[in-house]
Amino acid sequence: MHDAPDTAVYRQQGFGASLRLAPPFGLLIVDFVEGFADPAVFGGGNIPQAIARTHGLLALARAQGWPVAHSRIVYADDDGDANVFSDKVPGMLTLKEHSPASAIVASLAPRAGELVVRKNVPSAFFGTTLAPWLTQRGVRTLVVAGCVTSGCVRASVVDAMCWGFAPVVVSDCVGDRAIGPHDASLFDLAQKYAEVLPLEGLRSRLALAG
């Protein structure tokens, strides 16, 4: 079976190397909130399936004692922090601290000791305490779930790499409101920024590493 022409170009130019999954591990769950779980608000596509698969990933992380961080989009009640992101997607301004749409889905609710990052841009790292929080806990490999793959997940993964964390995107624990951008983003992330594995593949890699 031959590579597609674009894949062959990436291989020829040396993209797509595998990353070593070195402990300590951490988990970042990006924006699995009620508004993104609801197709009538910001959801759709394969986001519900990704949320369901993330239950197992979160249970794994907690059982292993990994630091766990969650992010949610939160704008000020008076829109005083409106920005270019909300100019581009005005509906984001509906995500306030106490808005039901901004609440993390109940089945993935944070536990005591887990970080909740409030942000008003795509990346969970930009202008937040996430990087120092992970660094203080010694994290070297950051496992990432959440939505949407082409937006806040991708931005957070690229920033994780820039901060020196080795990102692992769990492919069946990330979702997007459209499958085309989801698939394209997973391809791009795997070629340039992250290890991309399904949950069972991550379990296998962890067993080999252990």
Side-chain angles (χ1 to χ4, degrees), residues 5 10 17 20 38 41-42 55 57 67 72 76 83 97 122 149 151 162 164-165 179 183 193 196 204:
Y10 278 81
R20 178 171 174 260
D38 186 348
V41 185
F42 294 117
H55 298 155
L57 175 60
R72 49 190 291 246
N83 55 20
E97 179 64 36
T149 316
C162 292
F165 304 105
I179 302 305
D183 289 341
Y193 307 114
V196 177
S204 296

Side-chain angles (χ1 to χ4, degrees), residues 115-158:
L115 180 68
V116 177
V117 176
R118 289 163 175 81
K119 63 188 182 69
N120 61 9
V121 292
S123 173
F125 285 90
F126 187 86
T128 76
T129 62
L130 179 58
W133 187 86
L134 294 169
T135 299
Q136 185 179 9
R137 286 151 182 79
V139 171
R140 297 177 65 190
T141 300
L142 184 62
V143 178
V144 181
C147 67
V148 298
T149 316
S150 61
C152 295
V153 169
R154 187 183 189 281
S156 299
V157 169
V158 172

Side-chain angles (χ1 to χ4, degrees), residues 69-83:
H70 310 251
S71 74
R72 49 190 291 246
I73 297 173
V74 179
Y75 281 90
D77 288 344
D78 64 357
D79 297 339
D81 54 356
N83 55 20

Side-chain angles (χ1 to χ4, degrees), residues 70-105:
H70 310 251
S71 74
R72 49 190 291 246
I73 297 173
V74 179
Y75 281 90
D77 288 344
D78 64 357
D79 297 339
D81 54 356
N83 55 20
V84 176
F85 189 32
S86 61
D87 287 346
K88 191 67 178 176
V89 189
M92 291 292 166
L93 288 175
T94 65
L95 300 175
K96 310 296 189 185
E97 179 64 36
H98 300 294
S99 299
S102 182
I104 294 170
V105 295

